[in-house]
Coordinates of all heavy atoms in Angstrom, one line a residue:
M9 N -0.3 6.1 9.0 CA -0.8 5.0 8.3 C -1.8 4.2 9.1 O -2.8 3.6 8.6 CB 0.3 4.1 7.8 CG 1.2 4.6 6.8 SD 0.4 4.6 5.2 CE 1.4 5.7 4.3
T10 N -1.6 4.1 10.4 CA -2.4 3.2 11.2 C -3.6 3.9 11.8 O -4.4 3.2 12.4 CB -1.6 2.6 12.3 OG1 -1.0 3.6 13.1 CG2 -0.5 1.7 11.8
G11 N -3.8 5.2 11.5 CA -4.9 5.9 12.0 C -6.2 5.7 11.2 O -6.3 4.7 10.4
S12 N -7.1 6.5 11.4 CA -8.4 6.4 10.7 C -8.2 6.8 9.2 O -7.6 7.8 8.9 CB -9.4 7.4 11.3 OG -10.6 7.4 10.6
V13 N -8.6 5.9 8.3 CA -8.4 6.1 6.9 C -9.8 6.4 6.3 O -10.8 5.7 6.5 CB -7.9 4.8 6.2 CG1 -7.7 5.0 4.8 CG2 -6.6 4.4 6.9
T14 N -9.9 7.5 5.6 CA -11.1 7.9 4.9 C -10.9 8.0 3.4 O -9.8 8.3 3.0 CB -11.6 9.3 5.4 OG1 -10.7 10.3 5.2 CG2 -12.0 9.2 6.9
F15 N -11.9 7.7 2.7 CA -11.9 7.8 1.2 C -13.1 8.6 0.7 O -14.1 8.6 1.3 CB -11.9 6.4 0.6 CG -10.7 5.6 0.9 CD1 -10.7 4.7 2.0 CD2 -9.6 5.7 0.2 CE1 -9.6 3.9 2.3 CE2 -8.4 5.0 0.6 CZ -8.5 4.1 1.6
P16 N -12.9 9.4 -0.3 CA -14.0 10.2 -0.9 C -15.2 9.3 -1.2 O -15.1 8.2 -1.6 CB -13.4 10.8 -2.1 CG -11.9 10.7 -2.0 CD -11.7 9.5 -1.1
P17 N -16.4 9.8 -1.0 CA -17.6 9.1 -1.2 C -17.7 8.6 -2.6 O -18.5 7.7 -2.9 CB -18.7 10.0 -0.8 CG -18.1 11.3 -0.5 CD -16.6 11.2 -0.5
R18 N -17.0 9.2 -3.6 CA -17.1 8.8 -5.0 C -16.6 7.3 -5.2 O -16.9 6.7 -6.2 CB -16.3 9.7 -5.9 CG -14.8 9.6 -5.8 CD -14.1 10.6 -6.8 NE -12.7 10.4 -6.7 CZ -11.9 11.0 -6.0 NH1 -12.3 11.9 -5.2 NH2 -10.6 10.8 -6.0
F19 N -15.9 6.8 -4.2 CA -15.4 5.4 -4.4 C -16.6 4.5 -3.9 O -16.9 4.5 -2.7 CB -14.2 5.1 -3.6 CG -12.9 5.8 -4.1 CD1 -12.2 6.6 -3.3 CD2 -12.5 5.6 -5.4 CE1 -11.0 7.2 -3.8 CE2 -11.4 6.2 -5.9 CZ -10.7 7.0 -5.1
R20 N -17.1 3.7 -4.8 CA -18.1 2.7 -4.4 C -17.6 1.7 -3.4 O -18.3 1.0 -2.7 CB -18.8 2.1 -5.6 CG -19.6 3.0 -6.4 CD -20.3 2.3 -7.5 NE -19.7 1.0 -7.8 CZ -19.7 0.4 -9.0 NH1 -20.3 0.9 -10.0 NH2 -19.1 -0.8 -9.2
D21 N -16.3 1.4 -3.5 CA -15.7 0.4 -2.7 C -14.9 1.0 -1.5 O -13.9 0.4 -1.1 CB -14.7 -0.4 -3.6 CG -13.6 0.4 -4.2 OD1 -13.6 1.6 -4.1 OD2 -12.7 -0.3 -4.7
S22 N -15.4 2.1 -1.0 CA -14.7 2.7 0.2 C -14.5 1.8 1.3 O -13.4 1.8 1.9 CB -15.5 4.0 0.6 OG -15.4 5.0 -0.3
S23 N -15.4 0.9 1.6 CA -15.3 0.0 2.8 C -14.2 -1.0 2.5 O -13.4 -1.3 3.4 CB -16.6 -0.7 3.1 OG -17.0 -1.5 2.1
A24 N -14.1 -1.5 1.3 CA -13.0 -2.4 0.9 C -11.6 -1.7 1.0 O -10.7 -2.3 1.5 CB -13.2 -3.0 -0.5
R25 N -11.6 -0.5 0.5 CA -10.3 0.2 0.5 C -9.9 0.5 2.0 O -8.7 0.4 2.3 CB -10.4 1.6 -0.2 CG -10.5 1.4 -1.7 CD -10.8 2.8 -2.4 NE -11.0 2.6 -3.8 CZ -10.0 2.8 -4.7 NH1 -8.8 3.1 -4.3 NH2 -10.2 2.6 -6.0
R26 N -10.8 0.8 2.8 CA -10.5 1.0 4.2 C -9.9 -0.3 4.9 O -9.0 -0.3 5.6 CB -11.7 1.5 5.0 CG -11.5 2.1 6.3 CD -12.7 2.8 6.9 NE -14.0 2.5 6.3 CZ -14.6 3.2 5.3 NH1 -14.0 4.2 4.8 NH2 -15.8 2.9 4.9
R27 N -10.6 -1.4 4.5 CA -10.1 -2.7 5.1 C -8.7 -3.1 4.6 O -7.9 -3.6 5.3 CB -11.2 -3.8 4.7 CG -10.9 -5.1 5.4 CD -12.1 -6.1 5.2 NE -12.3 -6.4 3.8 CZ -13.4 -6.0 3.1 NH1 -14.4 -5.2 3.7 NH2 -13.6 -6.2 1.8
I28 N -8.5 -2.8 3.3 CA -7.1 -3.0 2.7 C -6.1 -2.2 3.5 O -5.0 -2.7 3.7 CB -7.1 -2.7 1.2 CG1 -7.9 -3.8 0.5 CG2 -5.7 -2.6 0.7 CD1 -8.2 -3.4 -1.0
A29 N -6.4 -1.0 3.8 CA -5.4 -0.1 4.5 C -5.1 -0.5 5.9 O -4.1 -0.3 6.4 CB -5.9 1.3 4.4
V30 N -6.1 -1.2 6.5 CA -6.0 -1.4 8.0 C -5.6 -2.9 8.3 O -4.8 -3.2 9.1 CB -7.3 -1.1 8.7 CG1 -7.3 -1.5 10.2 CG2 -7.6 0.4 8.6
D31 N -6.3 -3.8 7.6 CA -6.0 -5.2 7.8 C -4.9 -5.7 6.9 O -5.1 -6.1 5.8 CB -7.3 -6.1 7.5 CG -7.1 -7.5 7.8 OD1 -6.0 -8.0 8.2 OD2 -8.1 -8.3 7.5
L32 N -3.7 -5.7 7.5 CA -2.5 -6.0 6.7 C -2.3 -7.5 6.4 O -1.4 -7.9 5.7 CB -1.3 -5.5 7.4 CG -1.3 -4.0 7.7 CD1 -0.1 -3.5 8.4 CD2 -1.4 -3.2 6.3
E33 N -3.2 -8.4 6.9 CA -3.1 -9.8 6.6 C -4.1 -10.2 5.5 O -4.2 -11.4 5.2 CB -3.4 -10.6 7.9 CG -2.3 -10.3 8.9 CD -2.4 -11.2 10.1 OE1 -3.1 -12.2 10.1 OE2 -1.8 -10.9 11.2
T34 N -4.8 -9.2 4.9 CA -5.7 -9.5 3.9 C -5.0 -9.6 2.5 O -4.2 -8.7 2.2 CB -6.8 -8.4 3.8 OG1 -7.5 -8.4 5.0 CG2 -7.8 -8.6 2.7
N35 N -5.4 -10.6 1.7 CA -4.9 -10.7 0.3 C -5.7 -9.7 -0.5 O -6.9 -9.6 -0.3 CB -5.0 -12.1 -0.2 CG -4.0 -13.0 0.4 OD1 -2.9 -12.6 0.8 ND2 -4.3 -14.2 0.6
V36 N -5.1 -9.1 -1.5 CA -5.9 -8.1 -2.3 C -5.8 -8.5 -3.7 O -4.8 -8.8 -4.3 CB -5.2 -6.7 -2.1 CG1 -6.0 -5.7 -3.0 CG2 -5.3 -6.3 -0.7
E37 N -7.0 -8.6 -4.3 CA -7.1 -8.8 -5.8 C -8.0 -7.7 -6.3 O -9.0 -7.4 -5.8 CB -7.8 -10.2 -6.1 CG -7.0 -11.4 -5.6 CD -7.7 -12.7 -6.0 OE1 -8.4 -12.7 -7.0 OE2 -7.5 -13.6 -5.2
A38 N -7.5 -7.1 -7.4 CA -8.3 -6.0 -7.9 C -7.9 -5.8 -9.4 O -6.9 -6.3 -9.9 CB -7.9 -4.7 -7.2
G39 N -8.8 -5.2 -10.1 CA -8.7 -5.0 -11.6 C -7.7 -3.9 -12.0 O -7.2 -3.2 -11.1
V40 N -7.5 -3.8 -13.2 CA -6.6 -2.8 -13.8 C -7.1 -1.4 -13.4 O -8.3 -1.1 -13.5 CB -6.5 -2.9 -15.3 CG1 -5.8 -1.8 -16.0 CG2 -6.0 -4.3 -15.7
G41 N -6.1 -0.5 -13.0 CA -6.5 0.9 -12.8 C -7.1 1.1 -11.4 O -7.6 2.2 -11.1
S42 N -7.0 0.1 -10.5 CA -7.7 0.3 -9.2 C -6.8 0.8 -8.1 O -7.2 1.0 -7.0 CB -8.3 -1.1 -8.8 OG -7.2 -2.0 -8.7
G43 N -5.5 1.0 -8.4 CA -4.6 1.6 -7.4 C -3.9 0.6 -6.6 O -3.4 0.9 -5.5
K44 N -3.6 -0.6 -7.2 CA -2.9 -1.6 -6.4 C -1.5 -1.2 -6.0 O -1.2 -1.4 -4.8 CB -2.9 -2.9 -7.2 CG -4.3 -3.6 -7.3 CD -4.2 -4.9 -8.1 CE -3.7 -4.7 -9.5 NZ -4.6 -4.0 -10.4
P45 N -0.7 -0.6 -6.9 CA 0.6 -0.2 -6.4 C 0.6 0.8 -5.3 O 1.4 0.6 -4.3 CB 1.3 0.4 -7.7 CG 0.5 -0.2 -8.8 CD -0.9 -0.4 -8.3
T46 N -0.3 1.7 -5.3 CA -0.4 2.7 -4.2 C -0.8 1.9 -2.9 O -0.2 2.2 -1.8 CB -1.5 3.7 -4.5 OG1 -1.1 4.4 -5.7 CG2 -1.6 4.7 -3.4
E47 N -1.7 1.1 -2.9 CA -2.1 0.3 -1.7 C -1.0 -0.6 -1.3 O -0.8 -0.8 -0.1 CB -3.4 -0.5 -2.0 CG -4.6 0.4 -2.2 CD -4.8 1.5 -1.1 OE1 -4.6 1.1 0.1 OE2 -5.2 2.6 -1.4
L48 N -0.3 -1.2 -2.2 CA 0.8 -2.1 -1.8 C 1.9 -1.3 -1.1 O 2.3 -1.7 0.0 CB 1.4 -2.7 -3.1 CG 2.6 -3.6 -2.9 CD1 2.3 -4.8 -2.1 CD2 3.1 -4.1 -4.3
V49 N 2.2 -0.1 -1.6 CA 3.2 0.7 -0.9 C 2.7 1.2 0.5 O 3.4 1.1 1.5 CB 3.6 2.0 -1.7 CG1 4.3 3.0 -0.9 CG2 4.4 1.5 -2.9
N50 N 1.4 1.6 0.6 CA 0.8 2.0 1.8 C 0.9 0.8 2.9 O 1.2 1.0 4.0 CB -0.6 2.4 1.7 CG -0.8 3.7 0.9 OD1 0.2 4.5 0.9 ND2 -1.9 4.0 0.4
R51 N 0.6 -0.4 2.4 CA 0.6 -1.5 3.3 C 2.0 -1.8 3.8 O 2.3 -2.2 4.9 CB 0.0 -2.7 2.6 CG -1.5 -2.6 2.5 CD -2.1 -3.6 1.5 NE -1.9 -4.9 2.0 CZ -2.8 -5.8 2.4 NH1 -4.1 -5.4 2.3 NH2 -2.5 -7.0 2.8
M52 N 3.0 -1.7 2.9 CA 4.4 -2.0 3.2 C 4.9 -1.0 4.2 O 5.5 -1.4 5.2 CB 5.3 -2.0 2.0 CG 5.0 -3.2 1.1 SD 5.8 -3.2 -0.6 CE 7.0 -2.0 -0.6
V53 N 4.6 0.3 4.0 CA 5.0 1.3 5.0 C 4.2 1.1 6.3 O 4.8 1.3 7.4 CB 4.7 2.7 4.4 CG1 4.9 3.8 5.4 CG2 5.6 2.9 3.2
A54 N 3.0 0.7 6.3 CA 2.3 0.5 7.5 C 2.9 -0.7 8.3 O 3.0 -0.6 9.6 CB 0.8 0.1 7.2
L55 N 3.4 -1.7 7.6 CA 4.1 -2.8 8.3 C 5.3 -2.3 9.0 O 5.6 -2.7 10.2 CB 4.4 -3.9 7.3 CG 3.3 -4.8 6.9 CD1 3.8 -5.6 5.7 CD2 2.8 -5.7 8.0
L56 N 6.1 -1.4 8.4 CA 7.3 -0.8 8.9 C 6.9 0.1 10.1 O 7.6 0.0 11.1 CB 8.1 -0.1 7.9 CG 8.6 -1.0 6.7 CD1 9.2 -0.1 5.6 CD2 9.6 -2.0 7.2
A57 N 6.0 1.0 9.9 CA 5.6 1.9 10.9 C 5.1 1.3 12.2 O 5.3 1.8 13.3 CB 4.5 2.9 10.3
S58 N 4.4 0.2 12.0 CA 3.8 -0.5 13.2 C 4.9 -1.4 13.9 O 4.6 -1.9 15.0 CB 2.6 -1.4 12.8 OG 3.1 -2.5 12.0
G59 N 6.0 -1.6 13.3 CA 7.0 -2.5 13.8 C 6.8 -3.9 13.6 O 7.5 -4.8 14.1
T60 N 5.8 -4.2 12.8 CA 5.4 -5.6 12.4 C 6.5 -6.3 11.6 O 6.7 -7.5 11.7 CB 4.1 -5.7 11.7 OG1 3.1 -5.0 12.5 CG2 3.6 -7.1 11.4
A61 N 7.2 -5.5 10.8 CA 8.2 -6.0 9.9 C 9.3 -5.0 9.7 O 9.2 -3.8 10.0 CB 7.6 -6.4 8.5
Q62 N 10.5 -5.5 9.2 CA 11.6 -4.7 8.9 C 11.7 -4.8 7.3 O 11.2 -5.7 6.7 CB 12.9 -5.2 9.5 CG 12.8 -5.1 11.0 CD 14.1 -5.6 11.7 OE1 14.9 -6.2 11.1 NE2 14.1 -5.4 13.0
V63 N 12.4 -3.9 6.8 CA 12.5 -3.8 5.3 C 12.9 -5.1 4.7 O 12.3 -5.6 3.7 CB 13.5 -2.7 4.9 CG1 13.7 -2.7 3.4 CG2 13.0 -1.3 5.3
G64 N 13.9 -5.8 5.2 CA 14.4 -7.1 4.7 C 13.4 -8.2 4.8 O 13.7 -9.3 4.3
Q65 N 12.3 -8.0 5.5 CA 11.3 -9.1 5.7 C 10.1 -8.9 4.8 O 9.2 -9.7 4.9 CB 10.8 -9.1 7.2 CG 11.9 -9.4 8.1 CD 11.4 -9.2 9.6 OE1 10.9 -8.2 9.9 NE2 11.7 -10.2 10.4
I66 N 10.1 -7.9 3.9 CA 8.9 -7.6 3.1 C 9.3 -8.0 1.6 O 10.3 -7.6 1.1 CB 8.5 -6.1 3.2 CG1 8.1 -5.8 4.6 CG2 7.4 -5.8 2.2 CD1 7.8 -4.3 4.8
A67 N 8.3 -8.7 1.0 CA 8.5 -9.0 -0.4 C 7.2 -8.5 -1.1 O 6.1 -8.6 -0.6 CB 8.6 -10.5 -0.7
A68 N 7.4 -7.9 -2.3 CA 6.2 -7.4 -3.0 C 6.3 -8.0 -4.4 O 7.4 -8.0 -5.0 CB 6.3 -5.9 -3.1
V69 N 5.2 -8.5 -4.9 CA 5.1 -9.2 -6.2 C 4.3 -8.4 -7.1 O 3.1 -8.0 -6.8 CB 4.6 -10.6 -6.1 CG1 4.5 -11.3 -7.4 CG2 5.4 -11.4 -5.1
T70 N 4.8 -8.0 -8.3 CA 4.0 -7.3 -9.3 C 4.2 -8.1 -10.6 O 5.0 -9.0 -10.7 CB 4.6 -5.9 -9.5 OG1 5.9 -6.0 -10.0 CG2 4.6 -5.1 -8.2
F71 N 3.4 -7.7 -11.6 CA 3.3 -8.5 -12.8 C 3.9 -7.8 -14.0 O 4.0 -8.4 -15.1 CB 1.9 -9.0 -13.1 CG 1.4 -10.0 -12.1 CD1 0.6 -9.6 -11.0 CD2 1.9 -11.3 -12.2 CE1 0.2 -10.5 -10.1 CE2 1.5 -12.3 -11.2 CZ 0.7 -11.9 -10.2
T72 N 4.4 -6.6 -13.9 CA 5.0 -5.9 -15.0 C 6.2 -5.2 -14.4 O 6.3 -4.8 -13.3 CB 4.1 -4.9 -15.7 OG1 3.8 -3.8 -14.8 CG2 2.8 -5.6 -16.2
R73 N 7.2 -4.9 -15.3 CA 8.4 -4.2 -14.9 C 8.0 -2.7 -14.6 O 8.6 -2.1 -13.8 CB 9.4 -4.3 -16.0 CG 10.0 -5.7 -16.1 CD 11.2 -5.7 -17.0 NE 11.6 -7.1 -17.3 CZ 12.2 -7.9 -16.5 NH1 12.6 -7.5 -15.3 NH2 12.6 -9.1 -16.9
K74 N 7.0 -2.2 -15.3 CA 6.6 -0.8 -15.1 C 6.0 -0.6 -13.7 O 6.4 0.3 -13.0 CB 5.5 -0.4 -16.1 CG 5.0 1.0 -16.0 CD 3.9 1.3 -17.0 CE 3.4 2.7 -16.7 NZ 2.3 3.1 -17.7
V75 N 5.2 -1.5 -13.3 CA 4.6 -1.5 -11.9 C 5.7 -1.7 -10.9 O 5.7 -1.1 -9.8 CB 3.4 -2.4 -11.8 CG1 3.0 -2.5 -10.3 CG2 2.3 -2.1 -12.7
E76 N 6.6 -2.6 -11.2 CA 7.7 -2.9 -10.3 C 8.5 -1.6 -10.1 O 8.9 -1.2 -8.9 CB 8.6 -3.9 -10.9 CG 9.9 -4.2 -10.1 CD 10.9 -5.1 -10.8 OE1 10.5 -5.7 -11.9 OE2 12.0 -5.3 -10.3
A77 N 8.8 -0.9 -11.1 CA 9.6 0.4 -11.0 C 8.8 1.4 -10.2 O 9.4 2.1 -9.4 CB 10.0 0.9 -12.4
L78 N 7.5 1.6 -10.6 CA 6.7 2.6 -9.9 C 6.6 2.2 -8.4 O 6.7 3.1 -7.5 CB 5.3 2.7 -10.5 CG 5.3 3.4 -11.8 CD1 3.9 3.2 -12.4 CD2 5.6 4.8 -11.7
T79 N 6.4 1.0 -8.1 CA 6.2 0.5 -6.7 C 7.5 0.8 -5.9 O 7.5 1.3 -4.8 CB 5.9 -0.9 -6.6 OG1 4.6 -1.1 -7.3 CG2 5.7 -1.4 -5.2
G80 N 8.7 0.5 -6.5 CA 9.9 0.8 -5.9 C 10.2 2.2 -5.6 O 10.6 2.7 -4.6
L81 N 9.8 3.1 -6.6 CA 10.0 4.5 -6.5 C 9.1 5.0 -5.4 O 9.5 5.8 -4.5 CB 9.6 5.2 -7.8 CG 9.7 6.7 -7.8 CD1 11.1 7.2 -7.6 CD2 9.1 7.2 -9.2
F82 N 7.8 4.7 -5.4 CA 6.8 5.2 -4.4 C 7.2 4.7 -3.0 O 7.2 5.4 -2.1 CB 5.4 4.7 -4.7 CG 4.8 5.3 -6.0 CD1 3.8 4.6 -6.7 CD2 5.3 6.5 -6.5 CE1 3.3 5.1 -7.8 CE2 4.8 7.0 -7.7 CZ 3.8 6.3 -8.4
F83 N 7.7 3.4 -2.9 CA 8.1 2.9 -1.6 C 9.3 3.7 -1.1 O 9.3 4.0 0.1 CB 8.4 1.4 -1.7 CG 8.9 0.9 -0.4 CD1 8.0 0.7 0.7 CD2 10.2 0.6 -0.2 CE1 8.5 0.2 1.9 CE2 10.7 0.1 1.0 CZ 9.8 -0.1 2.1
G84 N 10.2 3.9 -1.9 CA 11.4 4.7 -1.5 C 11.1 6.0 -1.0 O 11.6 6.5 0.1
M85 N 10.2 6.7 -1.6 CA 9.7 8.0 -1.2 C 9.0 8.0 0.1 O 9.3 8.8 1.0 CB 8.8 8.7 -2.3 CG 9.6 9.0 -3.5 SD 8.7 9.6 -5.0 CE 7.1 10.1 -4.4
E86 N 8.1 7.0 0.3 CA 7.3 6.9 1.5 C 8.2 6.4 2.7 O 8.0 6.9 3.8 CB 6.1 5.9 1.3 CG 5.1 6.5 0.4 CD 4.4 7.7 1.0 OE1 4.2 7.8 2.2 OE2 4.0 8.6 0.2
Y87 N 9.1 5.5 2.4 CA 10.0 5.1 3.4 C 10.9 6.2 3.9 O 11.1 6.3 5.1 CB 10.9 3.9 2.9 CG 11.8 3.3 3.9 CD1 11.2 2.7 5.1 CD2 13.1 3.2 3.7 CE1 12.0 2.1 6.0 CE2 13.9 2.6 4.7 CZ 13.4 2.0 5.8 OH 14.2 1.5 6.8
E88 N 11.4 7.0 3.1 CA 12.2 8.2 3.5 C 11.3 9.1 4.4 O 11.8 9.6 5.4 CB 12.7 9.0 2.3 CG 13.8 8.3 1.6 CD 14.4 9.1 0.4 OE1 14.1 10.3 0.3 OE2 15.1 8.5 -0.4
L89 N 10.1 9.3 4.0 CA 9.2 10.1 4.9 C 9.0 9.5 6.2 O 9.0 10.2 7.3 CB 7.8 10.3 4.2 CG 7.8 11.3 3.0 CD1 6.4 11.2 2.3 CD2 8.1 12.7 3.4
L90 N 8.9 8.2 6.3 CA 8.7 7.5 7.5 C 9.9 7.6 8.4 O 9.8 7.9 9.6 CB 8.4 6.0 7.3 CG 8.4 5.1 8.5 CD1 7.1 5.4 9.4 CD2 8.3 3.6 8.1
L91 N 11.1 7.5 7.8 CA 12.4 7.7 8.6 C 12.5 9.1 9.1 O 13.1 9.3 10.1 CB 13.5 7.3 7.7 CG 13.6 5.8 7.3 CD1 14.8 5.6 6.4 CD2 13.8 4.9 8.6
A92 N 12.0 10.1 8.3 CA 12.2 11.5 8.7 C 11.3 11.8 9.9 O 11.6 12.8 10.6 CB 11.8 12.4 7.6
H93 N 10.3 11.0 10.2 CA 9.4 11.3 11.3 C 9.9 10.5 12.5 O 9.6 10.0 13.4 CB 8.0 11.1 11.0 CG 7.5 12.1 10.0 ND1 7.3 11.8 8.7 CD2 7.1 13.4 10.2 CE1 6.9 12.9 8.1 NE2 6.8 13.9 8.9

């Protein structure tokens, strides 16, 4: 997570996506369908991987129950991968 992050050139906002992935103190606002749950999970896992935070110190806010469920599912899967390494 903390290494070099690259995005396909098809993303016009590649530089913003790279900054979101690396700068964990940045607030993120984005429109519908932009991948916010994925980036939220990536950032949460990066905080854990870097030792910056522990699971009980992270809060994630979403605006729908569907996104809440997906974020929890994705986070659980990524967290298990982190623990396995």
Side-chain angles (χ1 to χ4, degrees):
M9 292 285 164
T10 57
S12 175
V13 179
T14 59
F15 295 96
R18 72 177 184 269
F19 292 125
R20 292 186 338 207
D21 61 348
S22 290
S23 65
R25 289 175 183 264
R26 197 169 16 267
R27 189 170 57 251
I28 288 167
V30 175
D31 182 359
L32 301 176
E33 295 185 19
T34 298
N35 290 324
V36 179
E37 294 181 31
V40 173
S42 59
K44 291 181 297 295
T46 301
E47 293 306 322
L48 180 61
V49 168
N50 290 341
R51 290 166 60 115
M52 291 173 11
V53 172
L55 286 168
L56 297 171
S58 69
T60 303
Q62 296 177 355
V63 173
Q65 297 174 311
I66 298 174
V69 178
T70 64
F71 292 99
T72 67
R73 294 190 191 281
K74 179 181 177 183
V75 173
E76 175 187 356
L78 286 172
T79 301
L81 177 67
F82 295 156
F83 176 73
M85 292 171 19
E86 292 295 324
Y87 184 58
E88 285 182 19
L89 288 173
L90 176 65
L91 293 176
H93 290 103

